[in-house]
Amino acid sequence: MNNDIVKGFDEGKEESLRIRLEKVERVPGCLALHLSGYIDAYNQHYFQQKATMAVEEGFTRLILDMRGVNFIGSTGVGGLVSLMRTLRSKNGDVVLQEMQPKVFEVLQLLGFSRFFNVSDGLEESIAFLTKAPPVVAFPRVFACPICEVKLRAGRAGRFRCSQCRTILALAETGAVALG
């Protein structure tokens, strides 16, 4: 069944992590990966390989249905981050859907929960994937959130405020955070 969506997907199965694919027709280039089992150092390479197969097939918007994932290790989180970077470099994205609390806690403890779109269901996942990203032109003038001095940045990245010396992070979207 998965082979009908992504050619060769079912070859080389891993019992510790099962993946079922489902096209999401309402979003162009969208694929849901229903995961069950765990993602850790043992099977992270398998997960990465299967996700890469989906991306190479043209799916750049992925919904990872995490309700069946009962454990994720730091290596598994690293695999999710790598997948997110790959997709965003192709103007795509990933949503982690219906994550168990103990799995979400691992993301929080490692400091990655704020980087991912996390949803409670399909409709919310679709909303994340269909919203247009804000377009921000550079160079950009922005205010330091600490001392409110006006700063100029030629690109997104990390900067030090010239007035209060606070390290700031400027995202591609124009959002400013303490860095």
Side-chain angles (χ1 to χ4, degrees):
M1 180 171 147
N2 290 334
N3 287 335
D4 295 339
I5 299 171
V6 175
K7 186 177 178 181
F9 193 87
D10 286 330
E11 296 171 10
K13 289 190 175 192
E14 171 61 51
E15 290 304 313
S16 62
L17 178 64
R18 290 169 303 289
I19 305 172
R20 182 178 58 83
L21 303 178
E22 178 185 6
K23 279 188 181 179
V24 181
E25 301 291 344
R26 293 170 36 197
V27 181
C30 186
L31 183 66
L33 285 77
H34 301 277
L35 309 171
S36 61
Y38 58 88
I39 307 171
D40 65 1
Y42 174 74
N43 63 13
Q44 186 276 331
H45 178 72
Y46 171 79
F47 168 75
Q48 200 69 37
Q49 176 190 30
K50 295 303 178 180
T52 299
M53 289 175 77
V55 173
E56 288 174 352
E57 197 73 27
F59 295 102
T60 57
R61 292 175 175 81
L62 300 182
I63 298 171
L64 302 183
D65 180 352
M66 305 283 285
R67 79 182 95 179
V69 175
N70 50 34
F71 174 80
I72 189 165
S74 59
T75 308
V77 173
L80 294 177
V81 171
S82 176
L83 175 61
M84 177 185 62
R85 285 183 179 155
T86 299
L87 290 169
R88 289 185 178 168
S89 73
K90 298 176 180 297
N91 295 319
D93 210 346
V94 63
V95 177
L96 307 179
Q97 178 179 293
E98 296 188 46
M99 205 177 322
Q100 291 188 27
K102 61 186 175 183
V103 173
F104 183 70
E105 186 177 339
V106 171
L107 280 178
Q108 284 182 311
L109 289 171
L110 294 173
F112 288 102
S113 59
R114 62 189 171 131
F115 296 114
F116 288 98
N117 296 317
V118 178
S119 79
D120 291 326
L122 183 61
E123 294 306 315
E124 190 177 353
S125 296
I126 289 172
F128 275 124
L129 295 173
T130 55
K131 69 178 178 183
V135 177
V136 177
F138 286 93
R140 179 167 184 76
V141 175
F142 64 98
C144 172
I146 303 299
C147 68
E148 298 186 9
V149 69
K150 298 291 183 198
L151 302 168
R152 186 174 187 275
R155 59 175 173 73
R158 292 178 54 148
F159 303 92
R160 186 174 297 272
C161 175
S162 59
Q163 180 73 30
C164 67
R165 309 301 293 159
T166 302
I167 297 175
L168 306 171
L170 180 62
E172 293 287 342
T173 62
V176 179
L178 298 179

